Amino acid sequence: MDIFILLATMIVCFLIGMPIAYSLAFAAIVGAWSIGIPLEAVMLKISDGVSKVAMLTIPFFVLAGAIMAEGGMAKRLVAFADVLVGFTRVRGGLSVVNVLATTFLSGISGSAVADTSAIGSVMIPQMEKAGFPRVFATNLTITSSVQALLVPPSHNAVLYSLATGGTISISALFMAGVFPGLLLGFSLIILCLVFAYRDNHPRGQTVAAKDAVRITIDAAWGLITLVIILGGILGGVFTAIEAGAVACIWAFFVTMFIYRDYKWRDLPVLLHRTLRTVAMVLTLIACASSVGYVMALTQMPAKMTAFFLSISDNKYVILFLINILLLILGTLVDMAPSILIATPILLPVMQNFGVDPVHFGMIMLLNLGIGLCHPPVGSILFVGCAVGKVTIEEVMKKIWPFYAVMFFVLMLVTYLPEISLWLPRHVLR
């Protein structure tokens, strides 16, 4: 009954349109009242939820990603990817450029929505002009942006670490996301080549050597951000928090003094937008911490484990059921609250079945990322349709092959844990 009261309050608050953070806090208060816990304890948990030093990772990486994504980096990465693909003159070359440029930007922005907006605004008109269907270009941009949720510096990997109570290293999650993210990008490239030869898409164009050198040098300034983040963490030079701070300084220097595409008068607007994003995320984390505390008191994780054991004691069956559950959740609730709500419930279940917490983090991020590409909540889908100037109905008719590829990658990541665990095990010893 205590669990029912907690969940019912949360769901009713969602349905009546109360903001998610306030819904979580109110559900925690009602749940605490139902089991006789002083409300002061809930307030203390809300405060404790945002008092961890690891929280600094979020504003640093959000700001660095915003500066690079809006400061001209996207078009330079597209040009650099065009140079790399142009040498092969492969059929459907611009679609490969789209995926490759998104891969590069994902390692800088950490945000799928930012990637969809930045890459889409450059690539979708360019692909349409070259002869690609506009809906195809939009679908490709939407689904390839899911890479940003996996590869470092994924903001959602940081949220997952915080949702576990800080017991999972952010650096380990960053490393774990590299191969799943690259696998998704590679799989989408294969799909692009299949479409290219089936539908006779135009070939990529070779870039003149003089222009290729200039474009490469121009893009290298931004790509150094990748070296700072990955190289600094892998080399033991920085912690994840310090890497975020240095990335902010470097992104600001490159954008304002090297590229100089961004106006100084626009900087306060960017900072204000970043602060709003960070404030919303931290409020969610604070309120979700109180819900997690009440859930633990009601023994919900243990009861969920018992429930799944009553269905099957086979780890692979349970993993499949959890995937279906997360896919549904991802289509109904935005990613940040999904991570903060589901992690305290499902992680103990997965650990009981012997699933590594880092591996489960990748499973959760990929599931919820697929959900962001599907209505009714899919923020990536909505941004992609707005940038591509196509309707959701047009996109949904043609996006199913892309869903199939993402689901295939999800199954590989789920049932081959070494895809996620090999790099952190061998690098972060």
Side-chain angles (χ1 to χ4, degrees):
M1 181 56 69
D2 295 332
I3 294 175
F4 173 78
I5 291 173
L6 177 67
L7 294 180
T9 304
M10 192 185 306
I11 292 170
V12 168
C13 289
F14 290 165
L15 292 176
I16 64 175
M18 183 182 290
I20 291 178
Y22 301 151
S23 299
L24 296 177
F26 186 67
I29 290 170
V30 173
W33 171 79
S34 71
I35 59 178
I37 299 298
L39 297 185
E40 290 85 350
V42 176
M43 300 305 156
L44 286 172
K45 280 297 173 182
I46 290 176
S47 175
D48 290 344
V50 286
S51 62
K52 301 177 180 66
V53 176
M55 291 288 177
L56 290 172
T57 312
I58 295 175
F60 285 145
F61 280 124
V62 170
L63 180 57
I67 292 173
M68 296 301 283
E70 297 185 26
M73 187 68 244
K75 65 181 182 182
R76 289 171 172 83
L77 289 177
V78 168
F80 178 60
D82 198 22
V83 169
L84 297 179
V85 175
F87 288 119
T88 65
R89 285 190 48 80
V90 65
R91 186 168 295 282
L94 272 183
S95 58
V96 178
V97 170
N98 189 319
V99 178
L100 197 58
T102 303
T103 303
F104 290 142
L105 189 59
S106 294
I108 295 172
S109 72
S111 167
V113 170
D115 283 12
T116 303
S117 177
I119 297 296
S121 61
V122 178
M123 283 303 307
I124 294 175
Q126 191 173 334
M127 289 178 69
E128 185 183 34
K129 185 178 179 180
F132 290 82
R134 194 172 188 89
V135 172
F136 171 82
T138 302
N139 281 332
L140 181 61
T141 303
I142 289 168
T143 51
S144 63
S145 296
V146 175
Q147 294 177 87
L149 306 174
L150 300 169
V151 301
S154 166
H155 306 159
N156 293 285
V158 177
L159 283 181
Y160 175 76
S161 173
L162 296 171
T164 66
T167 58
I168 310 300
S169 164
I170 295 174
S171 298
L173 290 169
F174 278 0
M175 295 303 103
V178 172
F179 286 159
L182 294 177
L183 177 61
L184 177 59
F186 177 76
S187 301
L188 288 171
I189 287 174
I190 297 298
L191 181 65
C192 288
L193 297 178
V194 171
F195 273 114
Y197 283 92
R198 190 196 72 178
D199 299 336
N200 199 31
H201 288 166
R203 293 183 179 275
Q205 299 297 316
T206 304
V207 180
K210 181 180 178 181
D211 291 334
V213 172
R214 176 184 55 78
I215 290 169
T216 302
I217 293 173
D218 207 23
W221 289 103
L223 291 173
I224 290 174
T225 312
L226 281 170
V227 178
I228 291 173
I229 296 169
L230 285 178
I233 294 173
L234 292 177
V237 180
F238 307 128
T239 64
I241 300 171
E242 293 162 348
V246 176
C248 270
I249 296 171
W250 178 255
F252 178 79
F253 171 74
V254 170
T255 298
M256 305 309 295
F257 295 100
I258 303 295
Y259 293 157
R260 291 183 291 182
D261 288 351
Y262 205 76
K263 302 292 189 294
W264 285 90
R265 66 175 178 269
D266 296 331
L267 198 58
V269 178
L270 184 145
L271 291 173
H272 179 259
R273 190 162 56 248
T274 300
L275 285 172
R276 286 185 60 187
T277 300
V278 171
M280 287 188 291
V281 171
L282 293 184
T283 303
L284 269 174
I285 293 172
C287 296
S289 298
S290 64
V291 171
Y293 170 68
V294 177
M295 284 178 178
L297 293 177
T298 60
Q299 298 182 326
M300 184 185 293
K303 292 171 183 176
M304 285 294 294
T305 301
F307 169 73
F308 279 107
L309 281 170
S310 69
I311 298 174
S312 174
D313 60 357
N314 187 307
K315 178 173 77 171
Y316 301 107
V317 172
I318 297 303
L319 277 169
F320 185 77
L321 293 175
I322 292 291
N323 274 315
I324 299 301
L325 178 64
L326 288 173
L327 283 172
I328 295 171
L329 180 66
T331 64
L332 299 175
V333 183
D334 206 6
M335 192 160 189
S338 295
I339 292 172
L340 296 170
I341 294 169
T343 300
I345 300 173
L346 297 179
L347 182 58
V349 177
M350 290 290 91
Q351 288 179 301
N352 187 72
F353 282 95
V355 177
D356 188 284
V358 174
H359 177 213
F360 179 61
M362 295 303 106
I363 294 172
M364 175 175 281
L365 293 181
L366 186 49
N367 269 296
L368 299 178
I370 295 172
L372 292 182
C373 301
H374 191 283
V377 174
S379 54
I380 303 177
L381 175 68
F382 297 147
V383 171
C385 289
V387 172
K389 297 179 181 177
V390 293
T391 66
I392 294 175
E393 291 78 10
E394 291 174 316
V395 164
M396 293 306 298
K397 289 177 182 177
K398 302 286 187 179
I399 201 172
W400 298 102
F402 297 91
Y403 283 154
V405 167
M406 291 194 292
F407 187 76
F408 172 72
V409 173
L410 173 62
M411 291 298 100
L412 290 179
V413 171
T414 298
Y415 292 111
L416 297 175
E418 284 303 305
I419 294 175
S420 303
L421 299 179
W422 186 88
L423 196 59
R425 281 177 177 169
H426 288 79
V427 172
L428 302 175
R429 292 180 176 176

